[in-house]
Amino acid sequence: MKIINSIGEMKKWSRLIRSKNKTIGFVATMGCLHEGHLSLINTSIAKCDTTVVSIFVNPIQFSPNEDFDSYPRHIELDKQILQTTGIDVLFNPHQKDLYPKNFQTFVTVEDKTNYLCG
């Protein structure tokens, strides 16, 4: 399992894989992996040539009344679990890379967010 922390390295790796006409399965998580995650990972491994799992606790997914800082993070345990799954890459980016200083861009999806989790 390769561990990638930078966006640039992830882009480079994915370009290489796509240049070989291989598919990339992507399972996005916030860590604290459980059976639901493992089911998604196993499906990706079965259906795709390569599988990437991300672990990123996304601050913009938390409401003002939710405590981002107390969200559980067990990266070393998650790495151990992922080691046993057969994934190709763990993408564990740094918050400052995804949300640089003065970040201002957001995507709003109309309609779907009215009846799904948003």
Side-chain angles (χ1 to χ4, degrees):
M1 174 180 79
K2 181 177 182 72
I3 298 174
I4 297 177
N5 300 109
S6 79
I7 294 170
E9 189 179 349
M10 189 71 240
K11 286 180 178 180
K12 182 179 175 181
W13 181 87
S14 61
R15 274 193 298 268
L16 174 67
I17 297 303
R18 287 192 318 266
S19 75
K20 297 176 181 179
N21 292 319
K22 292 189 175 194
T23 58
I24 301 171
F26 181 66
V27 180
T29 80
M30 292 202 311
C32 290
L33 301 177
H34 53 70
E35 288 300 319
H37 294 119
L38 296 177
S39 175
L40 293 170
I41 291 166
N42 290 332
T43 299
S44 177
I45 289 170
K47 293 182 178 269
C48 302
D49 298 316
T50 60
T51 294
V52 176
V53 174
S54 70
I55 295 179
F56 179 67
V57 181
N58 191 345
I60 67 169
Q61 287 184 234
F62 290 80
S63 300
N65 297 332
E66 295 176 319
D67 196 356
F68 167 76
D69 293 325
S70 68
Y71 188 85
R73 293 163 175 86
H74 303 287
I75 189 68
E76 293 307 317
L77 177 58
D78 289 339
K79 285 179 185 177
Q80 289 175 13
I81 292 168
L82 291 173
Q83 239 359 49
T84 68
T85 63
I87 68 163
D88 299 278
V89 172
L90 163 59
F91 181 47
N92 185 219
H94 302 288
Q95 182 176 328
K96 65 180 174 49
D97 294 334
L98 291 178
Y99 298 110
K101 189 175 181 177
N102 299 321
F103 173 80
Q104 296 179 5
T105 305
F106 293 89
V107 174
T108 302
V109 178
E110 301 295 329
D111 297 329
K112 293 252 186 238
T113 57
N114 291 336
Y115 58 90
L116 295 175
C117 296

